[in-house]
Amino acid sequence: MELSGAEITVRCLAEEGVEYVFGYPGGAVLNIYDEIYKQDKFKHVLVRHEQAAVHAADGYARATGRTGVALVTSGPGATNAVTGIATAYMDSIPMVVISGQVPTPAIGMDAFQEVDTVGITRPCVKHNFLVKDIRELASTIKKAFYIASTGRPGPVLVDIPKDVTQFKTEFEYPKTISLRSYNPVTKGHSGQIKRAVQMLLNAKRPMIYAGGGVILSDAAKQLTELARLLGFPCTNTLMGLGGFPASDPLSVGMLGMHGTYEANMAVQHSDVLVAIGARFDDRVIGNPEHFYQEERQIIHIDIDPSSISKRVKVDVPIVGNVPEVLTEMIKLIKASKEKPDQAALKTWLTQIELWRSRDCLKYDRSSDIIKPQFVLEKLHEITKGDAFVTSDVGQHQMWAAQFYKFDKPRRWINSGGLGTMGFGLPAAMGVQLAHPDAMVACVTGEGSIQMNIQELATCKQFNIPIKIILLNNRYLGMVRQWQEFFYGERYAESYMDTLPDFVKLAEAYGHAGRRIDNPAEVEDALKWAFSAEMKDTLVFLDFRTDQTENVYPMIPGGKGLSEMILV
Amino acid sequence: MENEAGALSRVAGLFSARGYNIESLTVAPTEDATLSRMTIVTRGSDEVIEQITKQLNKLVDTVRVVDLSDGGHIERELMLVKVRAEGLLREEMKRMSDIFRGRIIDVTDKTYTIEITGAGHKLDAFLNALDKSAILETVRTGASGIGRGDRILKS
Ligand SMILES: Cc1cc2nc3c(=O)[nH]c(=O)nc-3n(C[C@H](O)[C@H](O)[C@H](O)COP(=O)(O)OP(=O)(O)OC[C@H]3O[C@@H](n4cnc5c(N)ncnc54)[C@H](O)[C@@H]3O)c2cc1C
Ligand SMILES: Cc1ncc(C[n+]2csc(CCOP(=O)(O)OP(=O)(O)O)c2C)c(N)n1
Ligand SMILES: [Mg+2]
């Protein structure tokens, strides 16, 4: 039987086992929406802004490992989606975005709501397609899902002109797909793996530096096994938190610009550094020249060859999929008669404990103003470390990363690479829909939350009972911090004046809220938000926090890992 | 590369987005119409060339990338030069064209159009050898390259 392009699109999504489509309708996608109306294979979540559709699909993908799906109309629908797409691209999130396009004869005519979506998104997608022939529609969607979810994941956009959604053709969904020009490597080179294992066994001051690749490839189990087997300390990037349990004594927490003293010192003084699914980002290693250590050897495991030796030259590159490579390494280590030098390792771990005792995350616990760190510690305590935590971008993000100790992967959901304010709330929607019974907290700032505040309506419509933890410092705090440190305390436009009454705002959208001014009320408010009574209600907690608190440690731009500003 | 719409702009976009320099780029379909072949001339340190190679390979439409300068290779570029060919110049231009094994492919009583093929430096040398004021217009294709001997590029 012949189906229309719109029917085919919807059928393809069903074939892929898609559970949720996050989207917003418009002229170019009306045929697709009409087919969505007629089916019951997947649910459509109507957001209030296309950026939020993409972030929600992104949050869903990060929390599950499955490919997120967003649907937007042509022109402004597509341009609104761009920030979301770039966010997913920078953090390598598997996603398929379907955008409507003007009918093929109108392309290039400056038609109503026409933009060159494929051109605009080209630099921030893993790949994209413009479907000009309906006979290629099903195979293109199949390719999109395949490319998005394999190798180094990323967003793939499929632009479908309106006439293509009208035309009819026979529908057959390809079972498999093979692309001669796209064959990601998964198994690491066995010679290189052997060399790496030997290097690890000979290490005296070893350090594991694990990133987002461990989360993306579901390799937390293998990473944890490797570190414990060898007894090696481990640090995680912002994107890698939860890949190794923060509560394990071998964990030294996050490294980088706002990483812990012990993590940064240990990385800098190690003699063998093994980078696993991490890309030596500038927020992590600072200035490559200051990072460089003559006597340190580096092993780098990454599925994307272009991540290797991009910013830092490495000694043993291993191109491959993290779990497969680690499994191979564990096998070799277990089979080997050699063991790492235990005396050297003991000395090294003692040194690390000395660095740890510097207590770099300490803050004033006796303050009668609410300290943001305190709220996060309490959040961790009350949720028993078992919540999914999304965040926006700024100081609150860094404090959440430092103070919510993640023991499990896929629990910490934030925009690292692009640093997109406005990510937290819509991402939390995707997470909560993926895990309806889980506790989902969105840690945010009064600046960030206002970038997608309209999604409170979506939460109401779809009964998404997330808990919003607003650390309200009445400042674009991260900007304020830089201005205090590096711009002579000239606070140009970083004060958030005329803030709304967030409690009333939450109530206006049909939710519950509470404003908290005293440290003594923090615990009670959090208990209330996560109580059985509020289980099905979105709760908006407006914590009035210390306006001048700063994130420590901090490595100033252009400096090296051991040049931290400490409290 | 896959002979897909947009493949060229993906490559051009990659170079500009990452700040790599592009000296020339030529592209056309191959004997297999589903594939097109591109020759790119670029310049950079070993590290930069390594990144360029990796980034090009990463494009989903890229079937294979080789750095021809890693081994023996041949490169050729075609140039068309329109020169003044009046009076004394008429004989001089014919002579220069012959020396460089060019061919005069279009003639008017005032001009010659010379076709000349070779590696880029040969074309440069030809232009340098001409009287500057005699050159009316030039157009170059950019280099096409192929490995020497048995060396072949196959998907
Ligand atoms: C305000 C702010 C402050 C920040 N401060 C810090 C900071 O102090 N510390 C910090 O760490 N970050 C910080 N960041 C985040 C930083 O910008 C980067 O996003 C982050 O460090 C990158 O993490 P990553 O190296 O783990 O790489 P990711 O971006 O997570 O990339 C993953 C890597 O793994 C590879 N990979 C993917 N899948 C696989 C697989 N299956 N097998 C093998 N490899 C795979 C990819 O190719 C890629 O190289 C900050 C961001 C913001 C917004
Ligand atoms: C869309 C966007 N615009 C601007 C920035 C730059 N920026 C980074 S952090 C920040 C301040 C965030 O303020 P707030 O949400 O209140 O968080 P706080 O730092 O106060 O915790 C700004 C403006 C950004 N990351 N994203
Ligand atoms: Mg703020």
Side-chain angles (χ1 to χ4, degrees):
Chain A
M1 200 180 73
E2 294 209 322
L3 302 184
S4 73
E7 286 175 277
I8 289 175
T9 304
V10 166
R11 286 278 294 271
C12 289
L13 297 178
E15 290 279 347
E16 286 293 333
V18 170
E19 197 184 3
Y20 285 103
V21 171
F22 301 89
Y24 206 89
V29 285
L30 279 179
N31 291 320
I32 298 176
Y33 271 88
D34 197 40
E35 293 307 322
I36 288 178
Y37 186 86
K38 296 178 198 158
Q39 61 84 47
D40 59 2
K41 291 278 193 298
F42 58 82
K43 296 185 203 75
H44 179 274
V45 177
L46 176 70
V47 294
R48 296 330 191 235
H49 187 296
E50 287 87 352
Q51 181 187 347
V54 183
H55 288 329
D58 182 325
Y60 176 90
R62 292 184 202 231
T64 60
R66 305 178 58 198
T67 302
V69 181
L71 170 61
V72 299
T73 192
S74 69
T79 53
N80 271 350
V82 170
T83 302
I85 296 172
T87 302
Y89 179 68
M90 289 298 278
D91 291 340
S92 306
I93 305 305
M95 177 188 293
V96 170
V97 178
I98 294 180
S99 54
Q101 183 53 279
V102 301
T104 41
I107 290 179
M109 308 306 279
D110 300 317
F112 176 64
Q113 295 195 326
E114 177 183 7
V115 292
D116 175 9
T117 303
V118 163
I120 287 174
T121 57
R122 187 169 292 132
C124 60
V125 292
K126 183 170 174 186
H127 198 59
N128 60 18
F129 299 94
L130 170 63
V131 184
K132 283 189 164 162
D133 182 343
I134 188 178
R135 286 166 302 178
E136 284 168 13
L137 180 58
S139 63
T140 302
I141 295 177
K142 178 82 188 176
K143 280 183 203 165
F145 276 89
Y146 173 64
I147 293 169
S149 60
T150 51
R152 178 178 184 167
V156 177
L157 176 131
V158 183
D159 201 25
I160 311 178
K162 187 166 187 181
D163 54 343
V164 173
T165 67
Q166 266 152 350
F167 295 145
K168 291 192 164 189
T169 193
E170 284 297 330
F171 173 63
E172 195 191 338
Y173 200 59
K175 290 251 163 350
T176 57
I177 204 105
S178 107
L179 296 169
R180 69 179 156 187
S181 61
Y182 174 77
N183 299 292
V185 176
T186 58
K187 213 170 138 348
H189 186 279
S190 60
Q192 292 293 78
I193 294 179
K194 281 202 192 93
R195 269 184 68 202
V197 164
Q198 198 52 52
M199 203 175 263
L200 290 175
L201 292 172
N202 294 341
K204 299 218 169 351
R205 297 186 310 280
M207 194 64 207
I208 299 173
Y209 147 47
V214 172
I215 310 291
L216 293 165
S217 65
D218 291 314
K221 196 172 130 256
Q222 290 84 344
L223 171 64
T224 308
E225 184 178 355
L226 179 77
R228 288 182 179 159
L229 178 66
L230 291 164
F232 285 4
C234 180
T235 180
N236 294 94
T237 66
L238 182 73
M239 303 314 293
L241 295 175
F244 184 76
S247 60
D248 191 296
L250 289 171
S251 169
V252 293
M254 182 169 84
L255 80 165
M257 179 175 271
H258 294 296
T260 65
Y261 182 67
E262 52 273 27
N264 288 338
M265 293 302 275
V267 166
Q268 207 56 343
H269 292 88
S270 60
D271 70 340
V272 174
L273 180 66
V274 50
I276 309 177
R279 55 187 175 84
F280 294 91
D281 184 80
D282 51 280
R283 291 267 156 151
V284 171
I285 63 157
N287 185 332
E289 277 159 33
H290 293 225
F291 180 72
Y292 178 75
Q293 299 288 311
E294 171 91 51
E295 65 286 9
R296 180 180 57 204
Q297 289 180 300
I298 302 180
I299 300 164
H300 191 180
I301 306 167
D302 203 292
I303 203 159
D304 178 357
S306 76
S307 280
I308 297 179
S309 293
K310 181 171 65 178
R311 302 191 72 238
V312 169
K313 263 222 130 0
V314 302
D315 302 279
V316 185
I318 302 173
V319 177
N321 186 24
V322 173
E324 291 177 53
V325 174
L326 294 191
T327 304
E328 195 57 34
M329 290 175 110
I330 290 166
K331 218 159 67 192
L332 290 175
I333 293 165
K334 284 184 173 162
S336 168
K337 293 197 177 55
E338 290 174 63
K339 265 194 167 311
D341 179 342
Q342 294 303 306
L345 193 55
K346 189 150 175 260
T347 312
W348 176 231
L349 291 174
T350 309
Q351 172 63 62
I352 290 176
E353 287 318 307
L354 214 65
W355 284 321
R356 202 196 292 272
S357 67
R358 177 73 179 69
D359 196 10
C360 68
L361 298 181
K362 65 173 172 272
Y363 65 92
D364 179 8
R365 286 168 191 278
S366 60
S367 171
D368 49 13
I369 310 172
I370 299 176
K371 290 288 180 179
Q373 300 96 323
F374 176 68
V375 178
L376 291 160
E377 276 182 348
K378 282 289 161 198
L379 176 68
H380 183 263
E381 188 185 307
I382 285 158
T383 57
K384 302 193 172 62
D386 206 27
F388 287 80
V389 180
T390 75
S391 98
D392 268 298
V393 173
Q395 292 182 316
H396 61 275
Q397 176 189 23
M398 292 301 111
W399 285 315
Q402 293 174 336
F403 287 88
Y404 200 99
K405 308 287 181 192
F406 292 93
D407 277 346
K408 295 180 193 158
R410 298 198 181 281
R411 294 294 166 116
W412 167 236
I413 285 154
N414 82 133
S415 164
L418 200 67
T420 309
M421 289 170 69
F423 175 80
L425 170 53
M429 303 190 313
V431 176
Q432 185 80 78
L433 288 167
H435 301 291
D437 295 323
M439 292 178 280
V440 180
C442 165
V443 175
T444 184
E446 76 297 332
S448 296
I449 191 74
Q450 293 188 80
M451 287 215 178
N452 267 318
I453 191 87
Q454 76 288 344
E455 296 309 313
L456 288 175
T458 310
C459 292
K460 186 67 192 169
Q461 183 181 350
F462 295 90
N463 300 315
I464 302 174
I466 58 172
K467 314 301 170 195
I468 295 174
I469 314 295
L470 170 59
L471 300 178
N472 188 343
N473 52 7
R474 284 83 78 214
Y475 269 114
L476 300 174
M478 188 54 93
V479 172
R480 199 206 68 86
Q481 176 166 349
W482 282 62
Q483 289 169 334
E484 179 186 331
F485 288 7
F486 313 117
Y487 292 89
E489 304 185 22
R490 291 181 299 281
Y491 298 120
E493 309 299 324
S494 53
Y495 182 70
M496 280 307 245
D497 223 341
T498 56
L499 288 171
D501 178 332
F502 286 107
V503 173
K504 277 197 190 141
L505 186 67
E507 286 168 359
Y509 277 107
H511 306 300
R514 191 186 281 186
R515 171 173 161 162
I516 304 98
D517 289 281
N518 294 308
E521 303 162 353
V522 169
E523 185 163 337
D524 187 56
L526 286 166
K527 280 190 173 150
W528 171 63
F530 290 97
S531 66
E533 171 204 355
M534 302 311 281
K535 184 159 189 329
D536 299 322
T537 308
L538 184 150
V539 179
F540 196 122
L541 297 180
D542 179 6
F543 291 97
R544 295 302 175 118
T545 57
D546 190 342
Q547 290 194 270
T548 56
E549 187 60 46
N550 288 322
V551 182
Y552 295 102
M554 176 174 190
I555 302 172
K559 298 287 188 182
L561 278 184
S562 47
E563 301 165 83
M564 286 164 271
I565 306 176
L566 295 161
V567 258
Chain B
M1 304 201 65
E2 294 291 350
N3 193 5
E4 294 281 349
L8 174 60
S9 54
R10 283 181 214 282
V11 172
L14 170 69
F15 274 75
S16 63
R18 296 196 180 261
Y20 305 140
N21 98 359
I22 242 183
E23 296 201 354
S24 73
L25 187 161
T26 64
V27 57
T30 64
E31 73 283 5
D32 172 352
T34 66
L35 287 174
S36 58
R37 171 148 171 163
M38 215 174 260
T39 305
I40 301 169
V41 179
T42 181
R43 215 171 269 283
S45 63
D46 287 352
E47 290 77 42
V48 169
I49 298 297
E50 182 183 330
Q51 262 302 309
I52 293 177
T53 308
K54 286 173 169 178
Q55 293 292 345
L56 284 169
N57 261 314
K58 193 166 150 180
L59 294 176
V60 169
D61 285 336
T62 303
V63 180
R64 259 200 81 185
V65 181
V66 289
D67 182 348
L68 283 174
S69 62
D70 274 349
H73 69 282
I74 303 162
E75 73 179 76
R76 285 291 179 273
E77 179 173 359
L78 175 83
M79 173 168 69
L80 303 177
V81 194
K82 190 165 295 198
V83 293
R84 218 188 293 283
E86 290 169 294
L88 287 177
L89 271 177
R90 205 162 177 87
E91 189 43 40
E92 165 73 2
M93 288 301 158
K94 168 86 175 73
R95 214 166 47 84
M96 290 306 283
S97 167
D98 286 346
I99 293 172
F100 281 86
R101 300 184 191 212
R103 294 197 304 143
I104 297 172
I105 54 173
D106 188 41
V107 177
T108 70
D109 35 350
K110 294 203 181 96
T111 65
Y112 282 155
T113 299
I114 303 168
E115 172 196 317
I116 172 162
T117 312
H121 58 83
K122 174 179 160 184
L123 308 192
D124 295 340
F126 178 64
L127 291 177
N128 284 332
L130 297 183
D131 176 356
K132 287 278 158 311
S133 64
I135 302 173
L136 297 171
E137 190 180 346
T138 64
V139 54
R140 299 171 68 146
T141 57
S144 292
I146 198 162
R148 260 196 197 282
D150 296 340
R151 210 177 153 211
I152 53 172
L153 173 56
K154 272 275 176 238
S155 51

